[in-house]
Amino acid sequence: MTTTYAALLCGINVGGGKKVPMAELRTVLTELGHTDTTTYLQSGNAVFRSDEDDEDALAGALEQALHRRFGFAVDCLVRDAGYLAAVAAACPFPAAELAGKQLHVTYFDRAVDAERFAGLEAESFLPEEFRLGDRCLYLYAPDGLGRSRLAVALARPRHVKGLTATTRNWNTVAKLVELTRD
């Protein structure tokens, strides 16, 4: 059975480093045998169809192919359409009432328990808030991610050490749901 996936590349095309042109990303995905490849924005969002049903295997193969092509490591997460839609539907914040820059989802490579963030005094960051979801974290940052003190605190090594994580604003979350919808 063919499944539609989104590949979320971590840390590319920002700050002048790790340049991955989207046309070449589509080529890499096609060379891996995937079909109907498309990209969204320049920040490492790709949609493709595959007969493979193992997200971790798909991510690993893409990481290896990108390393061979560009000569540097790129962490990747691959998530199917159902997961992306479920994450959007489970948002604990009123997404429809917020600007896309105020709401973000950080996707993780595996489940993360609340214990990882236990030492964080969340009330000291109000009105910013976060909630954990299924292999993700929802962040409400009313002044945007670039001004978020909570985002900086959440990204500290003690919270994310050993995880592959990548963050998308709500506009991108919604667009990826739309692009992966069968």
Side-chain angles (χ1 to χ4, degrees):
M1 182 169 110
T2 302
T3 303
T4 303
Y5 295 98
L8 308 172
L9 282 62
C10 307
I12 65 159
N13 300 341
V14 291
K18 290 191 175 184
K19 294 281 187 191
V20 176
M22 294 299 97
E24 289 190 55
L25 175 56
R26 290 189 299 274
T27 299
V28 168
L29 287 164
T30 300
E31 289 171 351
L32 288 170
H34 307 311
T35 59
D36 299 326
T37 61
T38 189
T39 52
Y40 177 66
L41 301 176
Q42 297 297 312
S43 56
N45 305 292
V47 173
F48 63 93
R49 294 179 59 79
S50 178
D51 293 333
E52 173 67 55
D53 64 356
D54 182 335
E55 292 174 340
D56 292 336
L58 287 164
L62 180 55
E63 288 172 353
Q64 291 174 5
L66 291 169
H67 191 270
R68 282 192 304 273
R69 184 156 195 127
F70 297 105
F72 51 80
V74 177
D75 289 331
C76 302
L77 298 175
V78 172
R79 296 293 182 254
D80 70 27
Y83 171 82
L84 294 170
V87 165
C91 182
F93 299 105
E97 300 170 18
L98 301 172
K101 71 174 192 163
Q102 293 179 308
L103 187 57
H104 298 79
V105 175
T106 299
Y107 298 94
F108 297 116
D109 62 330
R110 61 184 171 278
V112 176
D113 62 17
E115 188 68 27
R116 187 177 280 266
F117 301 97
L120 188 70
E121 294 181 29
E123 54 280 341
S124 68
F125 295 96
L126 291 172
E128 297 180 41
E129 298 180 62
F130 79 97
R131 302 281 187 283
L132 292 176
D134 175 20
R135 294 180 292 163
C136 70
L137 178 146
Y138 301 91
L139 172 64
Y140 168 62
D143 294 327
L145 195 62
R147 294 182 170 191
S148 173
R149 291 182 19 242
L150 182 54
V152 171
L154 291 168
R156 288 189 182 126
R158 71 175 174 256
H159 301 306
V160 296
K161 185 176 180 178
L163 294 171
T164 298
T166 189
T167 300
R168 300 296 188 268
N169 72 31
W170 195 256
N171 292 334
T172 299
V173 169
K175 187 65 174 181
L176 290 174
V177 169
E178 177 187 323
L179 290 171
T180 57
R181 190 174 292 130
D182 287 326

